[in-house]
Amino acid sequence: MKTKQLGCALLLVFLSFASTIAQTNLEKLVREGVAYHDAGDYDEAIKMYKQALKLDSKSSLANYEMSLTYFSKGEYKKVIKYADAVLKQNTDYLLQAYMTKGSALDLLGKTKESIKLFKTAINNHGGHYLLHYNLALNYYKLGEYQEAEENILKGLEDNKNHPSSHFMLATIHNQKGNAVQTLLASYFFLFLEPNTQRSRDALQMLEENFAGNVSKDENKENTINVLLSADNDSQFGAAELMISMLAASKYIEENTDKSEVNLFEEKTESFFNIMGELNKEGSKEIWWDFYTTFYYDLAQSEHLESFCKYITQHNNENAQQWLEDNEAKLIAFEKWLAKN
């Protein structure tokens, strides 16, 4: 009897040891595949993943990496096949599998199916900000801006430091013609992502929305035309009016000799102060509770210049040089941020 028990124990140890070796070999093959993927050699990466799947066809890791590589190759039906294998296991890499499958469905022209998938993921696994962002992106593509905004705001509740969410929020309100919301979201996007291709687009949104529907009448000297929004009774009506006044101020004599850099910093400071003075205390909306609170505190600090130079650095040699020459001010700004 003891001999039989010992034999069973040795068999279990052997099986455990063999399983450990197989898992180690699988992970090694996947690492090699990832290295090929990162080098752009997708076919070799797929060969490695196939070898890994021979060791364990249910491996969530190998199936996910396979789906990701096929995504990079643009073979979206295969993306779905391997992402589904991950989702079927319902263990690891679920978020990643939902993301790749949802994006593949969208790129196959099945945007509504993609929306359904992301909704299922949110309902079953919680409202991760990336799920909300991708769901919002699909709604945005369909022109359903209200649904897109609702999901962006839910995602920002989970992570307010996600640049793409702020960028989309700004873009949605720019499409709607809402200057205040566009400015608020654009500033924070640039604070998080100041030096990319999207930064140029965000800076353009700032410039266009700060124009405030103001123009100078070339036929009448000293005449400035201000087109007021039809929505001046909204919670942002007063701020919209003040934006127009700020835009008109560039034409007054005392400002005609100021550089665009100085005018931008002055408008930014005035806008932040105006929003702070209009702040709806007790409001939990992101416009007041998050953006306005941060910007108003910034306007009252000594770091507004650092902020303005930092967010305008994309393709701006003046701002880039200032940042290089004022390291101490940037360090002080960073310390202030850490406390606020």
Side-chain angles (χ1 to χ4, degrees), residues 59-240:
S59 168
S60 294
L61 172 62
N63 277 296
Y64 166 65
E65 292 295 348
M66 184 76 90
S67 72
L68 188 62
T69 297
Y70 274 122
F71 191 91
S72 296
K73 289 191 71 176
E75 297 183 32
Y76 302 122
K77 290 182 179 179
K78 290 182 179 179
V79 171
I80 293 171
K81 173 186 174 181
Y82 288 99
D84 278 340
V86 177
L87 297 175
K88 185 177 180 180
Q89 295 305 309
N90 197 31
T91 53
D92 301 322
Y93 301 97
L94 290 176
L95 174 64
Q96 295 91 328
Y98 277 120
M99 300 284 290
T100 52
K101 181 180 179 179
S103 298
L105 285 169
D106 177 49
L107 290 167
L108 285 170
K110 300 178 179 180
T111 304
K112 290 185 178 180
E113 286 186 40
S114 179
I115 287 174
K116 184 177 179 180
L117 177 73
F118 285 128
K119 283 184 174 181
T120 298
I122 290 169
N123 290 333
N124 293 344
H125 303 284
H128 193 281
Y129 70 94
L130 288 176
L131 293 173
H132 279 297
Y133 173 76
N134 279 273
L135 178 55
L137 184 60
N138 283 337
Y139 276 128
Y140 181 82
K141 289 178 180 178
L142 295 177
E144 298 178 20
Y145 299 139
Q146 186 61 37
E147 291 81 358
E149 181 178 1
E150 288 174 2
N151 277 280
I152 284 295
L153 293 175
K154 289 176 182 176
L156 286 170
E157 289 177 8
D158 183 43
N159 181 8
K160 285 189 170 63
N161 290 322
H162 184 229
S164 294
S165 292
H166 294 282
F167 185 76
M168 182 178 288
L169 192 57
T171 303
I172 289 170
H173 281 282
N174 192 49
Q175 290 279 359
K176 291 181 175 181
N178 297 331
V180 174
Q181 297 97 310
T182 303
L183 291 170
L184 291 171
S186 295
Y187 272 115
F188 206 81
F189 165 75
L190 286 164
F191 175 56
L192 296 174
E193 189 178 303
N195 201 17
T196 65
Q197 186 64 29
R198 293 193 302 180
S199 306
R200 183 199 65 179
D201 298 332
L203 286 167
Q204 184 174 343
M205 280 194 286
L206 281 183
E207 180 180 344
E208 290 174 352
N209 283 278
F210 254 139
N213 296 319
V214 172
S215 61
K216 189 173 183 180
D217 193 328
E218 300 298 334
N219 298 318
K220 298 179 181 179
E221 189 176 357
N222 299 324
T223 298
I224 300 171
N225 298 317
V226 179
L227 179 62
L228 298 180
S229 170
D231 196 26
N232 276 335
D233 290 333
S234 74
Q235 62 174 319
F236 301 107
E240 293 267 7

Side-chain angles (χ1 to χ4, degrees), residues 212 214 226 228 240-250:
V214 172
V226 179
L228 298 180
E240 293 267 7
L241 177 60
M242 293 308 298
I243 288 172
S244 295
M245 295 301 99
L246 289 173
S249 69
K250 71 176 290 184

Side-chain angles (χ1 to χ4, degrees), residues 192-333:
L192 296 174
E193 189 178 303
N195 201 17
T196 65
Q197 186 64 29
R198 293 193 302 180
S199 306
R200 183 199 65 179
D201 298 332
L203 286 167
Q204 184 174 343
M205 280 194 286
L206 281 183
E207 180 180 344
E208 290 174 352
N209 283 278
F210 254 139
N213 296 319
V214 172
S215 61
K216 189 173 183 180
D217 193 328
E218 300 298 334
N219 298 318
K220 298 179 181 179
E221 189 176 357
N222 299 324
T223 298
I224 300 171
N225 298 317
V226 179
L227 179 62
L228 298 180
S229 170
D231 196 26
N232 276 335
D233 290 333
S234 74
Q235 62 174 319
F236 301 107
E240 293 267 7
L241 177 60
M242 293 308 298
I243 288 172
S244 295
M245 295 301 99
L246 289 173
S249 69
K250 71 176 290 184
Y251 296 108
I252 65 176
E253 186 175 352
E254 64 185 79
N255 288 332
T256 53
D257 293 331
K258 290 182 179 178
S259 68
E260 289 297 324
V261 172
N262 288 337
L263 287 172
F264 175 76
E265 292 178 5
E266 288 181 5
K267 284 190 296 186
T268 297
E269 182 176 13
S270 296
F271 176 61
F272 289 175
N273 279 320
I274 289 166
M275 291 303 299
E277 291 164 6
L278 295 172
N279 196 3
K280 298 180 177 295
E281 294 184 8
S283 173
K284 297 300 180 183
E285 292 187 43
I286 191 172
W287 315 109
W288 305 105
D289 184 52
F290 179 69
Y291 290 134
T292 293
T293 298
F294 172 67
Y295 297 145
Y296 187 62
D297 288 344
L298 180 59
Q300 306 307 304
S301 75
E302 300 175 351
H303 307 291
L304 187 69
E305 182 181 21
S306 297
F307 174 82
C308 288
K309 290 295 193 295
Y310 183 76
I311 69 169
T312 57
Q313 64 182 277
H314 181 67
N315 288 342
N316 185 330
E317 293 183 2
N318 177 278
Q320 293 167 7
Q321 188 63 51
W322 188 96
L323 293 171
E324 289 181 14
D325 296 340
N326 291 273
E327 184 178 356
K329 289 185 177 182
L330 290 176
I331 292 173
F333 181 34

